[in-house]
Amino acid sequence: MSTERLSVRKTYKLFIGGGFPRSESGRSYVVNDAKGRFLANASQASRKDVRDAVVAARKAFGGWSSRTPYNRGQILYRVAEMLEGRRAQFVEELRAAGAAKTAASAEVDAAIDRWVWYAGWADKVGAVVGNGNPVAGPFFNLSTPEPTGVVGIVAPDGPLLGLVSVVAPAIVTGNTAVVVASEPAPLAAITLAEVLATSDLPGGVVNLLTGRRAELAPWLASHMDVNAIDLAGVSADAVADLEKAAADNLKRVLRPGLSDWSDEPGIDRMTAFLETKTVWHPVGV
């Protein structure tokens, strides 16, 4: 009896509503390593997949935003735990994308630490950006932050750390996200989706699409049920058109910057997708 066997090749699918569907169009595209050698086929998402992902994100928003900040922090910490458990796999995927072994190890460690960092902010950001306002009258005047809603994210090409650096701050404050992964290096993103699916994160909080940015970003920017968009991975020459598309429903737009994702993160990406609600209440006698 032969002992030879065929290895089970991984199928890289989309991540929508907590499940892993193929693109409704049936399309895929070739992903090569840094030397141009074939690595895998990734699903090539379509306009319909963008719509499905937004529907899933909107459905998940109510439940996710109503959870306590402490609970959201627990779940983000659980993501870090699960990512730590698959550390070796992520290192190999980043090496296949062209990173040296030392650099790949450092990026995975930084991505794990970033989940922990944002998890720690979950129940603190409200106190930092909220306020009790002094007013001339017998009233309490309180300003508190609330999540914006569904956030579209065009992720940068940093295969893992850049992706975590834009997704974690968006969801930790109660938003849900539709993410277009790095086009040339999407494999680590889909593996991260597998981590999210096993980390107590409710289905639909993060929805991850792979495919052509030039095809998907305009539909995400123009979608009337997307409340904000992060253009971190968009080239400078495409920003203006996407901003115009986003203006139709007054989306918040976070423009791309000269980000070094290895830098210490601040709270700017958390506060970018928060609204401030101010409440007046009479002082009792």
Side-chain angles (χ1 to χ4, degrees):
M1 183 176 180
S2 175
T3 58
E4 294 183 4
R5 61 178 295 273
L6 296 175
S7 60
V8 179
R9 296 186 66 94
K10 184 172 180 177
T11 304
Y12 289 88
K13 303 175 185 176
L14 309 177
F15 182 54
I16 299 175
F20 291 89
R22 291 177 171 83
S23 171
E24 61 83 29
S25 66
R27 298 178 302 171
S28 63
Y29 72 103
V30 173
V31 178
N32 294 320
D33 66 12
K35 297 181 179 179
R37 297 173 299 195
F38 174 81
L39 277 177
N41 290 310
S43 288
Q44 185 175 336
S46 67
R47 178 184 181 183
K48 175 64 163 55
D49 295 315
V50 172
R51 294 203 304 266
D52 290 345
V54 173
V55 168
R58 177 59 63 191
K59 183 178 180 181
F61 175 70
W64 181 242
S65 61
S66 64
R67 287 181 180 241
T68 65
Y70 179 75
N71 181 243
R72 290 198 297 267
Q74 287 179 308
I75 291 173
L76 262 66
Y77 188 83
R78 176 63 174 165
V79 174
E81 290 179 336
M82 299 299 290
L83 186 52
E84 181 84 52
R86 298 178 67 169
R87 183 183 180 281
Q89 179 182 358
F90 279 96
V91 169
E92 288 305 311
E93 289 189 343
L94 294 186
R95 291 187 68 190
K101 184 175 182 180
T102 301
S105 296
E107 179 168 350
V108 175
D109 290 342
I112 295 167
D113 294 345
R114 192 134 306 173
W115 281 112
V116 174
W117 194 85
Y118 280 113
W121 269 100
D123 58 355
K124 301 174 184 64
V125 66
V128 171
V129 301
N131 197 30
N133 308 309
V135 293
F139 302 97
F140 294 115
N141 183 263
L142 305 174
S143 294
T144 57
E146 293 189 341
T148 295
V150 176
V151 178
I153 300 174
V154 183
D157 278 335
L160 184 60
L161 182 57
L163 177 64
V164 171
S165 298
V166 294
V167 173
I171 66 171
V172 70
T173 56
N175 297 298
T176 55
V178 177
V179 186
V180 178
S182 167
E183 183 176 333
L187 304 189
I190 294 299
T191 305
L192 178 62
E194 296 172 359
V195 169
L196 299 178
T198 55
S199 301
D200 300 328
L201 189 74
V205 173
V206 175
N207 304 275
L208 201 145
L209 308 175
T210 55
R212 308 300 184 193
R213 282 190 188 128
E215 177 184 356
L216 301 177
W219 298 122
L220 197 55
S222 62
H223 199 295
M224 299 300 285
D225 202 27
V226 174
N227 304 106
I229 189 165
D230 183 347
L231 303 179
V234 174
S235 60
D237 59 348
V239 170
D241 287 340
L242 294 175
E243 284 188 311
K244 290 177 184 177
D248 281 344
N249 76 332
L250 305 180
K251 283 183 183 64
R252 288 190 174 208
V253 177
L254 186 59
R255 294 184 177 94
L258 300 175
S259 299
D260 182 349
W261 302 111
S262 63
D263 287 346
E264 192 73 20
I267 68 170
D268 291 350
R269 286 191 173 274
M270 287 186 287
T271 59
F273 303 122
L274 288 174
E275 309 284 347
T276 300
K277 179 176 74 176
T278 300
V279 177
W280 292 71
H281 194 282
V283 176
V285 176

